[in-house]
Amino acid sequence: MTVHDSPGPIAPYASAARPLDGVRVIDLTTRLGAYTGRLFADLGADVVRVEPPGGLPERAVPPLTEDGTSLTFAFTEAGKRSVVLDLADPGRANQLERLLAGAQVLLTSEGPAGLRGRGLHPDDVTRRHPGLIHVSVSPFGLTGPWADRPASDLTLLAAGGLLALAGDPDLPPVRAWGEQSSLIAGVHAATAALIALLALEDGGHGQIVDVSAQEAVAHSLENAVQYVDLEGIVRTRAGAGPAEAGTGLFACADGWIYLVGGLGGLPLAWDALTEWLQAGGLKEAARLREPRWQQRAWRRSASGVRTFRTLFERFAAPRTKRELYEGGQRRGISIAPVATPEDLLTSPQLTERAFFRQVAVGDATLPFPGSPYRFGGLDVAPGDAPAPGAHTRAVLDALPGTTTPTPARPKE
């Protein structure tokens, strides 16, 4: 992997081993921005994760492997190189500046006051390094009255509006598992950073990329905006139950399937769905041909939802997810199995495409999700998760002007 001594032209795509080969990224993020660096590492960038002595506190976040390695941290750090620097030490801080001088991208994830206190505010960094792209991922962005407010995943989901859509309508909102706001912000930041890299390659000038996690969450509100635009309805929490007969989660022999058979003003799959149930021996399915099932108001009634569920789950009870999926797909019915982690690991489709990759995590080797995209002739996949400081000497010794003392020759 190429290490640039100073910011300059990025290696042409055609000659790169991977799309971002030759790009160096300095990662100073917390959990909020760590996924951005992981996405860059997958694409071949040399992502240097700078950690304090003893390693980042995120390394201790459960769930843990048997040797105490955080699985969530390993996921966001796969493919990066770890360098331990005590930035409170002026000498080490100078080494960070030298790292920045040879990089194309800097990733941070604090508010403006926190960054300024460390001499890392984007205005200051890009003044010292005009060829650097500073991607600042922060809870609320670099400006505005909330710029320096602390935030957690819960408060960011709430501030961005996504929490209002999660859970049952008669109960408080439910936060999704994991750091979902971090993943959402990370994807947005990586997309913006790639655009900035194109500008750097074209004009040789860096820039500040200001990413607000709140705004990234607000940009990811499922179809809530379309509901307002097309139907004049403000979406609220719908809960786990279906809002309309023919649509929702249904139990089967080995788990659950999700069916979309009755959604919309005209249920296009209704006839095919009815024929499928009847052909499977469910004579009572003939009731679904009654004219009232073409009326959206009936399909949305509690009686309509309950009646359909009783019929369909009677049909689905002896059948597996795979049988239902394949049978529905053959008839043009929108249906999908609710896959468990075990289902994914044994999926013939994902296996054929080598989606899961073996990644070294502490003392273990575990299957990790790979990248959901492919480049012809290039291998795009996560690398191993580094131990704290595993690459400190290799990275620092490669800095311009660094000389490694020659060992004294033994006396003869």
Side-chain angles (χ1 to χ4, degrees), residues 65-254:
T65 62
E66 291 184 359
D67 66 352
T69 302
S70 169
L71 287 173
T72 54
F73 184 79
F75 175 79
T76 61
E77 305 309 302
K80 300 179 185 179
R81 297 202 290 169
S82 173
V83 170
V84 168
L85 289 180
D86 182 1
L87 298 182
D89 182 334
R92 295 298 187 183
N94 179 60
Q95 287 179 319
L96 174 62
E97 283 298 301
R98 294 166 67 196
L99 282 172
L100 296 179
Q104 282 74 40
V105 181
L106 168 65
L107 303 177
T108 59
S109 57
E110 299 173 75
L115 291 172
R116 186 168 282 114
R118 300 170 59 196
L120 290 172
H121 190 281
D123 290 340
D124 300 327
V125 171
T126 53
R127 188 179 302 113
R128 299 195 303 267
H129 305 282
L132 186 68
I133 297 166
H134 187 158
V135 182
S136 171
V137 186
S138 60
F140 300 105
L142 292 171
T143 58
W146 292 6
D148 287 311
R149 285 190 179 183
S152 66
D153 180 61
L154 178 62
T155 56
L156 287 172
L157 292 177
L162 193 56
L163 201 62
L165 303 178
D168 293 314
D170 55 345
L171 295 172
V174 177
R175 168 180 171 258
W177 185 87
E179 299 283 326
Q180 295 300 314
S181 61
S182 299
L183 298 176
I184 294 169
V187 171
H188 282 73
T191 303
L194 288 172
I195 296 171
L197 273 175
L198 289 176
L200 175 64
E201 185 178 30
D202 184 54
H205 299 291
Q207 58 183 298
I208 298 169
V209 178
D210 178 5
V211 180
S212 158
Q214 180 197 24
E215 293 171 13
V217 171
H219 196 259
S220 309
L221 299 183
E222 299 175 343
N223 57 358
V225 175
Q226 289 88 335
Y227 261 80
V228 174
D229 182 36
L230 300 177
E231 301 191 33
I233 297 173
V234 177
R235 269 198 57 192
T236 55
R237 297 189 295 284
E244 190 166 330
T247 296
L249 288 167
F250 298 90
C252 62
D254 61 347

Side-chain angles (χ1 to χ4, degrees), residues 259-297:
L259 173 69
V260 183
L263 202 60
L266 180 63
L268 299 178
W270 199 264
D271 287 343
L273 183 57
T274 303
E275 291 170 5
W276 186 25
L277 300 187
Q278 288 184 293
L282 193 68
K283 295 180 180 179
E284 304 97 310
R287 297 168 56 187
L288 299 177
R289 296 189 183 279
E290 296 170 358
R292 61 179 177 173
W293 291 101
Q294 297 297 314
Q295 300 170 11
R296 192 176 189 186

